[in-house]
Amino acid sequence: MKVIATILAGGVLGLVFLSGSGIAHADPDNPKEQEACQLMDDPAGAQAGYAPAEYAFMMLRAKMSAQAARDIMSVAVQEICPNHIVDLPASWR
């Protein structure tokens, strides 16, 4: 019985470590996250007819993959510019 509990506990810990390995951690000093927030605040986006998140995504996407831009924006609004969380699509939050 004790062996089974130990195996189950080890399995749960293993799943926790595996599921957490892909999580991005925010670094307030990360220039890419700061850039994402600055782009969402940039009035040039609104003047061009874009929503804050659309403009930031478009500008970041020119420099990196779509997934990387999405990840950076998601982390940035959680740690640096939470006022823009409502600008992101719900699935990105």
Side-chain angles (χ1 to χ4, degrees):
M1 190 75 159
K2 199 173 195 179
V3 172
I4 293 174
T6 303
I7 292 171
L8 287 174
V12 169
L13 280 175
L15 287 174
V16 168
F17 285 119
L18 286 175
S19 65
S21 64
I23 296 173
H25 298 283
D27 178 3
D29 297 324
N30 186 327
K32 290 180 183 177
E33 293 166 13
Q34 290 176 353
E35 180 183 13
C37 290
Q38 290 169 351
L39 287 167
M40 285 187 268
D41 287 333
D42 191 346
Q47 292 169 354
Y50 293 104
E54 287 178 309
Y55 181 72
F57 181 77
M58 178 180 67
M59 299 303 285
L60 291 171
R61 181 63 183 97
K63 302 176 185 180
M64 61 190 68
S65 72
Q67 185 64 47
R70 175 185 168 177
D71 291 343
I72 287 170
M73 290 174 65
S74 295
V75 172
V77 299
Q78 292 174 22
E79 295 296 324
I80 299 174
C81 52
N83 55 314
H84 284 294
I85 196 146
V86 297
D87 295 324
L88 294 184
S91 63
W92 292 19
R93 298 179 196 161

